[in-house]
Amino acid sequence: MAKTPTPKKSSLRAAYANARKADPRPITGKEKPAELLAHAFSAYVGRQERTAFELMQQSVQQDASIFLTLSGAMTPAGLHQSCLIPLVEKGIISAITTTGANLYHDAHRIIGHGIREVNPNAGDLQYRLARIIRIYDLGFWEEALLDTDRLFSAILRQPQFQKKMTTPEFHYLLGKAIHGIEKELGVKQPSLLSTCYKHGVPIWVGAVQDGSIFLNVVKLKRLLGAEFKFELDINDDVFSMAAMQHYCRHNGSGKLAIWILGGGVPKNYTLQGEPLLDQILNVPTSGFDIDVQFCVDPVDNGALSSCPAGEGHTWGKVSVEAVETGSMYVHCDVTAVFPWLTHALFSEPKNKRKPMRLMDKMDDAVKFLDADVKKRSKSLMKTLDWSVEEAEPSTKKDAKAHDSFVR
């Protein structure tokens, strides 16, 4: 039996010889954030942070369309005020997908309710008796919810909401209304909704029914009946996400980046635009070019929240380049890391640009994708039929064709 040739030591060492050298330096307190990241974050989660920062810079410098996803109770924690609103104002974030809860809880501050630090171990039975709502180590009076419900109920009854629309249109109109209220009240720190309205950043919410803004929609529909005509078009909503990604791929720099804060529905709702294009509509696409995620979840339980770029690539969600050189999963609490990386990003003067105002281009994006789908309508029609005979192989030859092997 022939022996398997043993690779030479020199060839085995070649890749290692070209690897980046760990270059720690004494910290003086005078370093710029980017310098500190380059030399004091050489290993483990620190290295993940450094690589994420480099990819965030690359996203901006390549003028990529940056789709940011946000899950978890991030607006109660103030991450939107410290990071997201400045990133929107500096033109860095192009589009956002989040939860209805993040947009709802943001409104508490606008109408004068504070969110305070509380002891998470003080006892929930006592908090309930005192009508204090707890989100881990943050709390607020129950009145904050009741007053915010009244705010959104009043806004949603306005004439401009009495029609069918997508979530980007819905949140644009909400942002416009909130912007007017903020001006009237003299609010110094604007909300995420009003900031995105002002800068033309579309906001999608993939599970809009799972949030208190929509709970007030339910109330209005039951109370007002046919008089209340607001409705969300989830078909057009999903299409609009794919349309915007397709439009960004063929306009501007043509680069797409996704920054994922947490995981959950916002992550998948954004990423699924690519397989919708490629697998469902047969419109060629390559997936996001840069994939940066900050999440505490383990990657080995099959959950989408923790799905790394390589797994996403098998679904057509991110590109080959993203898997090989353009992806980083940072195992961390978003609130512990992202403010620091935002600071580092802003400390570099080159990391700025004009807002893309993608919301202004939404109609063009939808028309652009509609045209491509229309070109493929004949072949797509063939994908609409199925027969039960196709469910299982009927012969040994067919069975063999369905076999798969793991080596």
Side-chain angles (χ1 to χ4, degrees), residues 81 154 198 200 209 241 323 328 341 358 365 382 400:
Q81 294 289 352
K198 186 177 178 182
Q209 71 274 24
M241 175 65 82
V323 176
M328 180 48 59
L341 295 184
L358 294 185
K382 297 176 183 178
K400 191 171 183 179

Side-chain angles (χ1 to χ4, degrees), residues 271-276 278-279 285-288 309-319:
L271 285 170
Q272 73 176 2
E274 294 298 292
L276 171 59
D278 190 50
Q279 298 161 17
T285 189
S286 56
F288 281 87
E311 185 178 327
H313 175 64
T314 67
W315 292 82
K317 295 175 179 178
V318 301
S319 67

Side-chain angles (χ1 to χ4, degrees), residues 95-107:
I96 292 175
T97 310
T98 187
T99 62
N102 272 318
L103 302 175
Y104 174 81
H105 290 303
D106 190 14

Side-chain angles (χ1 to χ4, degrees), residues 171-196:
H171 296 118
Y172 180 81
L173 291 174
L174 280 178
K176 184 177 182 179
I178 294 290
H179 178 65
I181 292 169
E182 289 173 352
K183 288 180 69 176
E184 192 171 344
L185 293 175
V187 173
K188 293 181 179 179
Q189 287 188 301
S191 64
L192 185 61
L193 272 170
S194 67
T195 302
C196 289

